[in-house]
Amino acid sequence: MEKGKKRLAVLVGCNYPNTQYELHGCINDVLAMREVLVKRFGFDPQNVELLMDAPGSPVLPTGTNVKAALDRMVDRAEAGDVLFFHYSGHGTRIPRPRHKLPLWQDEAIVPCDFNLITGNNQYIEKEQIGPYTALCDGGASLSHAPRTIPFNSLLHHLSSLTKINTSDIGTHLLECFGSEASLRFRRTLEELDAPIDLPVKPDEGILLSGCQAEETSADMSPSAAAAGGAGKAYGAFSNAVQIVLRENAGRRLSNREVVAAARAVLRAQGFAQHPCLYCSDENADAPFLWRPEPAEE
């Protein structure tokens, strides 16, 4: 493999089986994404790591395992490689007091063991498609389960494990997971208030989110999905992206085109969620999951 030409992926799907937070479409999302990465975008199957909480899964998507998989991917990366991270599962928002600001909230993903992974260290630099750059014209939402867990529900769940009477979720996470808890919960309030050193170079990351920050993404159960024509459980945004890629099988779509088209699909299906795109101006118009052209012989 030529240096700088690897295509690496970590795909995470959490259905939380046999819990009150159970979802149905997340593992299907991951399996569909693996197929399209390999067949359409040229990923080597050996370079696509799956973490799922399906029965018999060799690697569960715990907080520790997800972070370790991301570390392995980054450690293997060289300049020019393509790195892809896909997450299907619950998200949440965590309030925290700050010295100089009113109540602040961190966004986090919820691994299968509830060892939260916060997104406060991401430097996605610019909103390209979001609540302030496009009209929000969603219609009536279909019946679905929201892919989010309210903060109070998370707090109740963790309190039942630690038996500690406090509303500080960090205390519960540190009690349950110790040094494996996210760095966000191992820092003092003064450290959290300290200025963040932004990267010297512009951020080259590209974030496609299933909805706006104040919205929730939809998880369609098998019965609801069948009523909509899909016949199996799925995440609304992941399914919309798959539809867009199938309908444009012969085209190289830009990141902007994928998100705009996915919005149109969701609007036509009656979902009240609006996918967003955050990246540089250059990456907004770059091909989605860019694939180098084969060298001429």
Side-chain angles (χ1 to χ4, degrees):
M1 173 72 70
E2 184 180 351
K3 290 186 65 175
K5 298 298 183 182
K6 295 191 301 297
R7 304 172 70 73
L8 310 173
V10 172
L11 313 181
V12 176
C14 298
N15 272 352
Y16 316 92
N18 303 315
T19 73
Q20 62 177 311
Y21 308 108
E22 185 170 8
L23 298 172
H24 298 280
C26 300
I27 290 173
N28 288 337
D29 290 349
V30 164
L31 296 177
M33 183 55 68
R34 177 181 62 178
E35 183 175 5
V36 78
L37 290 180
V38 172
K39 292 185 176 180
R40 175 163 180 162
F41 294 105
F43 282 67
D44 185 330
Q46 295 184 346
N47 289 336
V48 180
E49 185 170 359
L50 272 62
L51 293 84
M52 305 181 297
D53 56 3
S57 178
V59 183
L60 291 174
T62 65
T64 297
N65 287 345
V66 171
K67 288 185 286 188
L70 291 172
D71 286 343
R72 287 192 295 272
M73 180 170 65
V74 171
D75 288 344
R76 292 183 58 195
E78 302 170 290
D81 287 349
V82 173
L83 278 61
F84 181 76
F85 175 59
H86 172 101
Y87 172 78
S88 286
H90 280 304
T92 192
R93 302 179 78 180
I94 307 163
R96 62 171 176 172
R98 292 173 65 92
H99 288 172
K100 300 176 182 178
L101 294 173
L103 194 66
W104 189 264
Q105 289 187 321
D106 286 328
E107 295 181 341
I109 63 175
V110 185
C112 68
D113 62 347
F114 292 80
N115 186 6
L116 305 180
I117 300 176
T118 60
N120 58 310
N121 290 327
Q122 297 177 357
Y123 299 108
I124 301 299
E125 63 181 51
K126 185 176 181 180
E127 176 187 276
Q128 299 290 342
I129 299 178
Y132 304 108
T133 56
L135 294 176
C136 303
D137 53 353
S141 177
L142 298 175
S143 176
H144 68 272
R147 288 187 175 182
T148 185
I149 301 178
F151 171 76
N152 287 338
S153 296
L154 278 174
L155 187 62
H156 176 76
H157 174 77
L158 293 169
S159 299
S160 69
L161 299 178
T162 64
K163 312 301 182 186
I164 298 174
N165 183 20
T166 178
S167 61
D168 177 31
I169 200 167
T171 299
H172 298 294
L173 290 167
L174 290 170
E175 177 68 17
C176 289
F177 304 107
S179 62
E180 298 298 331
S182 178
L183 179 63
R184 149 74 174 84
F185 305 107
R186 292 184 279 120
R187 301 174 70 189
T188 65
L189 192 60
E190 288 73 18
E191 289 173 326
L192 291 172
D193 274 339
I196 298 174
D197 293 327
L198 294 175
V200 175
K201 297 181 179 179
D203 190 343
E204 295 184 1
I206 302 167
L207 172 63
L208 282 69
S209 64
C211 64
Q212 296 170 184
E214 71 278 8
E215 298 174 337
T216 58
S217 292
D219 183 77
M220 302 302 295
S221 67
S223 58
K232 65 178 182 179
Y234 59 84
F237 174 60
S238 294
N239 185 63
V241 170
Q242 296 292 336
I243 290 173
V244 170
L245 294 177
R246 285 197 302 269
E247 292 180 348
N248 295 272
R251 292 185 58 207
R252 287 208 324 179
L253 299 172
S254 70
N255 293 299
R256 190 192 307 275
E257 288 174 319
V258 168
V259 173
R263 275 197 171 197
V265 169
L266 291 171
R267 182 171 60 249
Q269 293 176 336
F271 288 102
Q273 68 183 74
H274 301 82
C276 299
L277 172 65
Y278 301 90
C279 62
S280 66
D281 292 337
E282 180 180 3
N283 282 335
D285 296 311
F288 175 70
L289 284 178
W290 169 82
R291 180 177 184 178
E293 299 294 338
E296 296 183 1
E297 296 183 358

